[in-house]
């Protein structure tokens, strides 16, 4: 689902909210009038006064000043009577107004200056979180909870810098990716390295940072992604076909494909994966791939079309060193 489609959906909800608020207001006012018919009579009188004076002004324009003064006097009197009656029955002006969920934008989502209200932004974020498949985990796994000190400062055999230094560079790169996300020249990311080195954690950090800014992020493991595509293509049961979920894989702002290489690869998966990667690339949407496979194995596993896209348009980020206990987040 594109951001614009989500926005449209949210705006429809605002319209619905406003309609409901207006209906409730009418019910509330009707109940007050039912209880106090004299109040309604006063208000009808005030309206009629205005109309009769307008008519009089048209037929006797020379008496304008006098007529307006008369109107003002009459209205002042009627207003006072109305106010007295309201006071007697403990009514306030607010009792005649709609009750808005958001008083800033009166459930329009947009403020008077045309900018989006903060309630709109929050809804967009909530909706994006809901769709991301990451809603629960991101409170624990984000840039703020990421701890460099968990990584060893020992030199890693075959590498020029320590694991911690490497993670520091990765952190900088990932923060940069999130920060520059909207720049078309910012490349996609491919995380590779063994399990337990923080690839998923780092992908989650990026996801949260983007979600909090109202971007649509979708997380899927490669296995789930292929299952979704297979169901769509071959699923006999229409309940297994979920066009919206499928559409989001193509249209979301950031697609995270986790654990690439754990799915079964065949001609079908290769062509489907290519469709997603290539379409997203052509449409300028970013993708983050995470895999346990080293680049040389990726090249053997996936056909040339996929590899050429990945090698041309992705920054390769290597995770190495010792397994940190990513599962026991209380140690982070
Ligand atoms: Zn608002």
């Amino acid at each position: 689902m594109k951001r614009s489609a989500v926005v449209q959906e949210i705006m429809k909800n605002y319209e619905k909210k406003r309609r409901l608020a207006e209906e409730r207001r009418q019910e509330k006012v009707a109940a007050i009038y039912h209880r106090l018919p004299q109040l309604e009579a006063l208000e009808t009188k005030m309206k009629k006064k205005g109309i009769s004076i307008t008519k009089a002004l048209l037929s006797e324009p020379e008496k304008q000043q006098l007529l307006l003064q008369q109107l003002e006097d009459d209205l002042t009197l009627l207003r006072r009577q109305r106010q007295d009656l309201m006071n007697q029955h403990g009514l306030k002006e607010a009792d005649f107004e709609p009750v808005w969920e958001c008083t800033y934008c009166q459930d329009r989502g947009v403020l008077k200056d045309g900018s989006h209200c903060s309630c709109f932004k929050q809804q967009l974020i909530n909706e994006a979180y809901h769709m991301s498949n990451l809603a629960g985990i991101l409170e624990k796994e984000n840039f703020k909870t990421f701890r460099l000190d968990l990584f060893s400062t020992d030199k890693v055999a075959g590498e020029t810098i320590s694991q911690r230094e490497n993670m520091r560079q990765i952190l900088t790169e990932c923060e940069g990716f999130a920060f520059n996300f909207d720049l078309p020249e910012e490349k996609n990311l491919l995380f590779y390295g063994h399990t337990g080195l923080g690839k998923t954690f780092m992908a989650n950090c990026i996801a949260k940072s983007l979600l909090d800014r109202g971007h649509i992020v979708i997380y899927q493991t490669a296995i789930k992604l292929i299952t979704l595509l297979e169901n769509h293509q071959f699923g006999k049961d229409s309940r297994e076909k979920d066009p919206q979920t499928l559409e989001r894989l193509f249209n979301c702002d950031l697609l995270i494909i986790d654990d690439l290489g754990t799915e079964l690869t065949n001609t079908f998966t290769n062509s489907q994966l290519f469709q997603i990667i290539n379409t997203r690339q052509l449409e300028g949407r970013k993708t983050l791939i995470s895999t346990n496979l080293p680049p040389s194995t990726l090249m053997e596993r996936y056909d040339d079309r996929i590899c050429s896209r990945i090698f041309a348009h992705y920054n390769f980020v290597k995770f190495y060193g010792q397994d940190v206990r990513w599962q026991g987040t209380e140690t982070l």
Side-chain angles (χ1 to χ4, degrees):
M1 190 183 254
K2 280 186 193 171
R3 188 186 148 100
S4 57
V6 179
V7 169
Q8 226 174 18
E9 207 48 44
I10 293 175
M11 292 319 272
K12 259 194 229 160
N13 267 333
Y14 276 117
E15 272 171 43
K16 207 164 120 189
K17 264 190 215 168
R18 284 184 60 84
R19 249 198 332 267
L20 269 175
E22 177 53 27
E23 278 171 26
R24 286 210 196 98
R25 185 196 73 84
Q26 287 176 10
E27 286 167 16
K28 204 168 59 171
V29 172
I32 294 173
Y33 288 162
H34 184 73
R35 193 154 55 92
L36 296 172
Q38 60 273 47
L39 187 68
E40 187 176 18
L42 272 175
E43 282 178 7
T44 313
K45 235 182 197 176
M46 286 161 83
K47 270 182 215 151
K48 279 189 181 156
K49 268 283 180 265
I51 296 166
S52 68
I53 294 289
T54 312
K55 276 187 190 157
L57 278 172
L58 288 171
S59 58
E60 298 174 291
E62 68 283 1
K63 290 188 183 168
Q64 184 187 13
Q65 216 172 352
L66 186 74
L67 286 167
L68 286 178
Q69 188 55 52
Q70 192 191 330
L71 174 68
E72 191 48 42
D73 293 346
D74 290 350
L75 282 180
T76 307
L77 185 69
L78 287 168
R79 275 192 210 114
R80 199 173 298 144
Q81 289 175 4
R82 178 175 177 268
Q83 193 58 53
D84 288 343
L85 196 59
M86 280 169 61
N87 290 346
Q88 277 172 34
H89 292 87
L91 289 167
K92 296 181 294 299
E93 278 313 327
D95 295 323
F96 298 84
E97 302 289 335
V99 178
W100 306 114
E101 256 177 53
C102 175
T103 49
Y104 297 106
C105 67
Q106 302 192 330
D107 298 350
R108 286 185 177 90
V110 180
L111 299 170
K112 287 205 174 80
D113 66 0
S115 65
H116 278 129
C117 182
S118 57
C119 73
F120 170 87
K121 290 175 194 161
Q122 193 54 49
Q123 276 197 63
L124 191 62
I125 291 170
N126 292 352
E127 191 51 37
Y129 262 88
H130 177 69
M131 291 190 304
S132 72
N133 306 321
L134 289 167
I137 192 83
L138 297 184
E139 284 311 308
K140 289 186 213 154
E141 303 197 353
N142 55 66
F143 282 128
K144 283 196 184 115
T145 61
F146 181 77
R147 279 179 51 189
L148 260 181
D149 62 317
L150 292 175
F151 298 91
S152 162
T153 51
D154 296 343
K155 198 174 173 302
V156 180
E159 304 292 346
T160 51
I161 51 174
S162 70
Q163 187 178 10
R164 187 179 300 177
E165 195 45 45
N166 185 44
M167 286 310 289
R168 193 192 309 278
Q169 290 181 6
I170 290 174
L171 179 64
T172 307
E173 172 149 17
C174 291
E175 283 175 332
F177 176 81
F179 187 77
N180 297 320
F181 186 75
D182 296 318
L183 301 180
E185 62 269 27
E186 186 70 23
K187 279 189 169 186
N188 305 289
L189 289 176
L190 184 125
F191 292 172
Y192 71 101
H194 298 302
T195 316
L197 297 177
K199 297 193 300 296
T200 305
F201 194 109
M202 204 45 94
N204 286 344
C205 293
I206 292 174
K208 180 162 186 349
S209 163
L210 294 176
L211 282 165
D212 287 346
R213 277 151 48 204
H215 287 291
I216 311 293
V217 179
I218 302 293
Y219 169 96
Q220 281 300 357
T221 61
I223 294 178
K224 184 75 201 291
L225 188 100
I226 295 298
T227 310
L228 281 170
L229 294 164
E230 278 173 346
N231 280 344
H232 186 76
Q233 192 85 350
F234 310 116
K236 290 183 187 74
D237 187 343
S238 61
R239 280 170 303 179
E240 286 182 25
K241 294 187 180 183
D242 181 355
Q244 261 198 349
T245 307
L246 189 80
E247 204 184 282
R248 281 177 204 155
L249 301 176
F250 288 90
N251 290 333
C252 64
D253 297 325
L254 176 70
L255 174 67
I256 300 175
I257 306 176
D258 201 7
D259 268 341
L260 185 75
T262 49
E263 78 290 358
L264 281 172
T265 35
N266 54 40
T267 323
F268 173 76
T269 57
N270 257 303
S271 86
Q272 293 295 303
L273 201 60
F274 175 75
Q275 285 301 331
I276 290 186
I277 289 175
N278 192 46
T279 307
R280 295 187 58 81
Q281 185 59 42
L282 291 174
E283 291 178 355
R285 302 184 198 286
K286 303 227 162 62
T287 309
L288 191 164
I289 296 175
S290 174
T291 177
N292 294 349
L293 304 175
S296 55
T297 316
L298 274 182
M299 287 187 73
E300 293 161 14
R301 260 312 255 291
Y302 296 95
D303 70 27
D304 293 347
R305 293 186 308 168
I306 296 180
C307 292
S308 71
R309 295 301 182 283
I310 292 181
F311 280 88
H313 302 294
Y314 285 65
N315 277 338
F316 280 57
V317 182
K318 184 180 180 183
F319 289 68
Y320 59 76
Q322 287 167 344
D323 183 338
V324 254
R325 290 194 168 273
W326 292 98
Q327 302 308 320
T329 38
E330 62 273 16
T331 61
L332 282 176

